[in-house]
């Protein structure tokens, strides 16, 4: 028995050496290669980004909570609530800025893209500032006229260019454009404010109609938010819109509740 032990030890050492040579024993050089192969397979099997959001301050979620960056994005934005892979929306963005600054960052294999844009193209900030500070002034009426009769007719071509840019970058993406909420619940406003508030609501309705017609005629989807916000405009008992405060970017934007109960449910069916 004692003579056999050295032979057995030598056999065990030879077996371990052989196993080590083919990478079957811990500490060998074969494991890193196997790990790399596993990582490569996992990378190949990784699903494409499911949802990327583009657009202006509404896409960014401005007014929905503390600001996360210079684009005034918030964790209360509808893309964040819907689990977007990336939110590229930025406060003040126009269609041209979406095309030049946001679309290039959309991954080619993205499955869903939402776009909220158009309000800045038609001069919404000029209207908001002029009409909030002087609703009966010439400045307000001129801003509304410029928005509806000069800038709005130019919007369809800009929206089509935006849709085309997204298609070129992510050919398989399902594209959805969204509308904007009416800002006022007229029945709850003082009588003196109703005429201008009605004109602004009408201008928003025209903007929404333009976005809806253009998106649908160009093969994209349209998510309407008007119905969700009815009864929750400024002047209602439970507004989902921030009132105008000079210098506050949240002015006339949805509140966190507006994004959560207005935008998110309206957009969710279009994110597949």
């Amino acid at each position: 028995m004692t003579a056999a032990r050295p032979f057995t030890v030598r056999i065990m050492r030879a077996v371990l050496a052989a196993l080590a040579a083919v990478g079957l024993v811990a500490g060998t050089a074969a494991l890193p290669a196997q790990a790399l192969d596993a990582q490569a397979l996992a990378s190949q099997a990784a699903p494409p980004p499911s949802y990327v959001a583009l657009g202006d301050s509404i896409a960014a979620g401005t007014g929905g909570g503390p600001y996360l960056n210079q684009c005034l994005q918030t964790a209360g934005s509808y893309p964040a609530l819907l689990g977007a892979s990336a939110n590229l929306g930025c406060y003040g963005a126009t269609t041209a800025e979406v095309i030049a600054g946001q679309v290039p960052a959309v991954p080619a294999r993205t499955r869903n893209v939402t776009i909220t844009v158009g309000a800045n193209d038609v001069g919404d900030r000029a209207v908001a500032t002029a009409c909030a500070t002087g609703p009966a002034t010439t400045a307000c009426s001129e801003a509304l006229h410029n928005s509806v009769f000069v800038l709005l007719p130019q919007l369809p071509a800009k929206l089509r260019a935006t849709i085309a840019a997204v298609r070129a970058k992510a050919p398989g993406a399902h594209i959805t454009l969204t509308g904007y909420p009416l800002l006022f619940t007229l029945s709850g406003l003082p009588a003196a404010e109703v005429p201008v508030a009605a004109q602004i609501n009408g201008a928003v309705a025209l903007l929404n109609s333009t976005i809806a017609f253009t998106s649908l005629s160009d093969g994209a989807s349209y998510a309407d938010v008007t119905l969700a916000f009815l009864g929750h405009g400024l002047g209602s008992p439970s507004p989902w819109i921030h009132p105008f405060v000079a210098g506050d970017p949240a002015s006339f934007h949805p509140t966190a509740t507006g994004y959560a109960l207005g935008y998110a449910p309206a957009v969710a069916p279009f994110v597949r």
Side-chain angles (χ1 to χ4, degrees), residues 19 37 77 184 213-214 221 242:
L19 291 174
D37 289 343
S77 69
F184 301 99
F213 180 81
T214 305
S221 296
H242 287 283

Side-chain angles (χ1 to χ4, degrees), residues 10-272:
R10 287 197 300 272
I11 291 294
M12 291 299 296
R13 286 175 179 170
V15 171
L16 289 173
L19 291 174
V22 296
L24 298 177
V25 176
T28 68
L31 283 178
Q34 292 172 348
L36 288 174
D37 289 343
Q39 290 176 0
L41 289 172
S43 176
Q44 293 173 5
S50 62
Y51 169 32
V52 174
L54 310 176
D56 55 24
S57 53
I58 299 294
T62 303
Y67 297 123
L68 305 175
N69 49 40
Q70 292 182 337
C71 280
L72 304 189
Q73 292 185 358
T74 70
S77 69
Y78 76 81
L81 295 174
L82 295 177
S85 305
N87 184 3
L88 304 174
C90 199
Y91 182 87
T94 62
T95 51
E97 289 165 338
V98 169
I99 293 170
Q102 298 179 24
V103 172
V106 176
R109 296 174 63 224
T110 301
R111 296 199 302 268
N112 298 279
V113 174
T114 61
I115 311 170
T116 302
V117 75
N120 293 307
D121 291 82
V122 300
D124 70 323
R125 276 189 284 181
V127 172
T129 301
C131 296
T133 56
T137 62
T138 302
C140 174
S141 59
E142 287 180 347
L144 277 165
H145 182 276
N146 186 57
S147 176
V148 172
F149 296 104
V150 179
L151 298 177
L152 186 61
Q154 302 172 21
L155 185 60
K158 296 177 179 180
L159 293 174
R160 285 193 291 269
T162 306
I163 294 170
V166 173
R167 285 208 178 103
K169 191 66 171 62
H174 174 234
I175 302 171
T176 300
L177 278 70
T178 83
Y180 296 87
L182 302 184
L183 298 180
F184 301 99
T185 298
L186 301 180
S187 61
L189 293 176
E193 297 178 10
V194 169
V196 171
Q199 291 181 53
I200 293 175
N201 277 0
V204 174
L206 288 172
L207 172 60
N208 286 339
S209 297
T210 300
I211 296 171
F213 180 81
T214 305
S215 59
L216 294 174
S217 64
D218 215 41
S221 296
Y222 175 72
D224 177 69
V225 300
T226 304
L227 292 176
F229 277 85
L230 282 182
H232 297 288
L234 292 170
S236 72
S238 57
W240 293 353
I241 303 292
H242 287 283
F244 178 82
V245 176
D248 184 359
S251 297
F252 293 143
H253 284 71
T255 62
T257 302
Y259 287 116
L261 300 184
Y263 265 93
V267 177
F270 298 94
V271 180
R272 301 168 179 173

